Amino acid sequence: MKALRALVSPQGAVFLLLVILLVAVMVLNPNFAEPGQLMRFIQRVAPIAIVAIGQYFVIIAGEFDLSQGSLITAQVIIAGNLVGQDDARTLPVLGLMLVFGVVVGLVNGILTTLLKVPSFIVTLGMMLALLGGVKWWTGGAATGNPADSFREIGRGGIRDVPLLDFIPWSVLILAAWLALGIWVTRRPLGKLLIAIGDNARSVDYAGARRSWDTIQAFVISALSASLSAVLLVGYAGVHPSVGTGYEFIAITAVVLGGVVLGGGRGWIVSAVAGAFVLEALFLLLNIAGVPSTLRDAVQGVIIIAAVAYSAVSFRSRRRAARSSPDPGKEQEPPQGGPAQPPAPSALASEGSTETRGVQ
């Protein structure tokens, strides 16, 4: 019974939906079931999933990062114009891209936390600034052509592998980045970001450095976008349109994975599964002959449906908790009163009166 409830929960339903979509794709296109085709599918999803991992850390802290897509575009243009055909420039440019990503993340985080500017406004401004810089640099046209050694990161891999035949580097990079993300969620930083999204004042009472933790979330988000840009250079080429809309795709994937907008709840693996669901859905629509122009509409419907389902599920759990109270646990506030969930266990001793991210 518990397994069934977990499967239909906002975080578990995404895995059930993924299985249904993959089976539907295999029915319409039996070749998709081949191991090589599955590896290619994961290769296509990898950049989106990596960006979703970064967006996850920002959203669980109760913030948004709308600059991811434009940062990807800027990083692609940097790689295309600075690497050129000189293989010796690959590592220095990779280092420069990482530094640039860290700087963008720091600016977003500092303006949001220290100057108290809403992250929606800060990252929207950063998005426009980066896009403006890219258009000024390129004139809005494709420019640059990085060396094959650089592009090999995104489109190359390990060949002649038994059964699978080919394992793309992007699949291995995604696996490593996800493993690192899971590790971070189990460290104090990940737990504090959840606490910030759930009850920011309790984090302050506990003496934690809330601003610095939130800044680190924005840095992780920017690094995720930079890593995604490195992969996209491999098979998407160098063009000012590369990365456009990736921030909204990442938010859709995270929300589809059951992560609550406003912060405080969510599982990073579900956020990555949300990225796979989106790609599987778009692939299914493409096979079914649905026009690609409807992708944005479908994406918007998914966001609304996922948020609504999460809200309904959360309210149902609250009603169930009120109908069968546990004497050993803190009771829910009466109907009509302000929703004030208890502080996270690590911070409960400090007390709190301000809450965030409750739906």
Side-chain angles (χ1 to χ4, degrees), residues 251-274:
I251 292 174
T252 306
V254 172
V255 172
L256 191 57
V259 181
V260 177
L261 292 178
R265 291 183 301 278
W267 187 28
I268 189 171
V269 178
S270 295
V272 172

Side-chain angles (χ1 to χ4, degrees), residues 287-356:
I287 295 175
V290 177
S292 60
T293 51
L294 290 177
R295 173 176 290 204
D296 291 340
V298 172
Q299 190 171 314
V301 171
I302 289 173
I303 292 178
I304 295 173
V307 172
Y309 180 69
S310 178
V312 170
S313 177
F314 178 66
R315 291 193 185 98
S316 298
R317 290 197 299 269
R318 288 183 61 189
R319 285 194 297 267
R322 283 197 296 266
S323 62
S324 57
D326 186 343
K329 295 183 180 180
E330 183 174 342
Q331 303 299 311
E332 294 286 341
Q335 184 69 25
Q340 296 185 3
S345 57
L347 306 171
S349 60
E350 301 295 334
S352 174
T353 59
E354 178 181 327
T355 60
R356 298 175 56 192

Side-chain angles (χ1 to χ4, degrees), residues 57-142:
F57 283 102
V58 176
I59 288 181
I60 61 170
E63 308 293 350
F64 284 98
D65 188 354
L66 300 181
S67 65
Q68 286 183 314
S70 57
L71 178 57
I72 291 175
T73 303
Q75 296 282 38
V76 166
I77 297 301
I78 288 173
N81 286 270
L82 297 186
V83 174
Q85 295 302 308
D86 188 354
D87 291 334
R89 295 183 181 180
T90 296
L91 291 179
V93 172
L94 280 174
L96 175 63
M97 293 171 67
L98 293 178
V99 171
F100 183 66
V102 170
V103 170
V104 171
L106 286 173
V107 172
N108 286 338
I110 290 173
L111 291 178
T112 298
T113 57
L114 300 185
L115 299 185
K116 309 299 181 183
V117 182
S119 59
F120 182 89
I121 301 299
V122 171
T123 56
L124 178 62
M126 180 63 73
M127 177 183 74
L128 296 175
L130 291 173
L131 287 178
V134 166
K135 289 183 179 180
W136 172 79
W137 189 355
T138 65

Side-chain angles (χ1 to χ4, degrees), residues 192 195-196 199-210 213 344 347 351:
L192 281 170
I196 291 170
N199 197 325
R201 185 64 62 86
S202 65
V203 177
D204 294 334
Y205 285 164
R209 298 178 297 176
R210 174 156 63 104
D213 294 327
L347 306 171

